[in-house]
Amino acid sequence: MGVEIERKFLLAGDAWRGLGQAVLLRQGYLSSARERVVRVRIEGEQAMLTIKGANVGATRGEWEYPIPLADAAELLDGLCEQPLIEKVRHRIEHAGMVWEVDEFLGANAGLVVAEIELASEDQPFEKPEWIGVEVSGDARYYNANLIRHPFSQW
């Protein structure tokens, strides 16, 4: 079984801008139920199907499989729950770790969050100066919830 251990934070300022590489992501959900999420994502020229289990703390099961780009586009436009999640992801290295800063577009424009994946829940890591309040346990910030309750409606 694959495992994802992830912590999510709001940002404190714009010092992260201009760091790292950026790529456009489009993703949608075939299932956004809390106990099982099935996501289709196009990231640049690659496409993935991801299945995630329910969170237990910052940990949950995760299985990810590459799929043909054309299939992903068809799923996003035809079968996925709407609206889609669109965001620009910035991958920024800091103190030997990779932070993913997501700038949301569309109905979630204005929302910017940073995530870090860990090897264990108690793994120490250094926060960059631009990391703010942790929102890992706040379900409003889960991508699967942002399709039903977009940031623009908060």
Side-chain angles (χ1 to χ4, degrees):
M1 172 172 86
V3 175
E4 174 186 60
I5 302 170
E6 180 178 85
R7 304 226 349 233
K8 188 177 293 200
F9 299 83
L10 297 179
L11 274 56
D14 286 335
W16 60 273
R17 291 197 182 276
L19 303 175
Q21 299 292 319
V23 65
L24 177 65
L25 276 71
R26 289 181 70 224
Q27 66 188 44
Y29 295 87
L30 297 169
S31 172
S32 61
R34 179 183 163 101
E35 61 277 3
R36 73 187 151 286
V37 171
V38 181
R39 178 184 74 202
V40 176
R41 174 185 282 169
I42 295 176
E43 180 173 344
E45 295 300 314
Q46 297 183 340
M48 301 294 278
L49 178 69
T50 305
I51 303 161
K52 297 184 180 195
N55 282 52
V56 178
T59 304
R60 65 180 169 178
E62 178 184 61
W63 301 265
E64 196 161 53
Y65 308 95
I67 61 172
L69 189 60
D71 290 357
E74 193 173 324
L75 290 168
L76 287 173
D77 294 335
L79 289 181
C80 286
E81 300 172 29
Q82 299 293 322
L84 298 178
I85 297 289
E86 296 180 301
K87 56 190 176 181
V88 176
R89 172 162 286 170
H90 306 263
R91 286 191 175 85
I92 303 169
E93 188 174 331
H94 177 80
M97 302 291 290
V98 176
W99 289 83
E100 295 177 337
V101 176
D102 289 340
E103 282 187 280
F104 287 82
L105 306 171
N108 291 295
L111 178 60
V112 183
V113 299
E115 300 175 347
I116 187 169
E117 288 201 22
L118 304 171
S120 66
E121 286 203 29
D122 60 354
Q123 177 183 348
F125 60 92
E126 182 182 312
K127 293 180 192 172
E129 64 183 23
W130 37 267
I131 292 295
V133 175
E134 184 167 4
V135 294
S136 298
D138 189 336
R140 293 179 303 165
Y141 294 95
Y142 297 171
N143 283 268
N145 287 340
L146 289 170
I147 60 174
R148 286 185 299 281
H149 305 289
F151 183 68
S152 62
Q153 297 176 7
W154 294 10

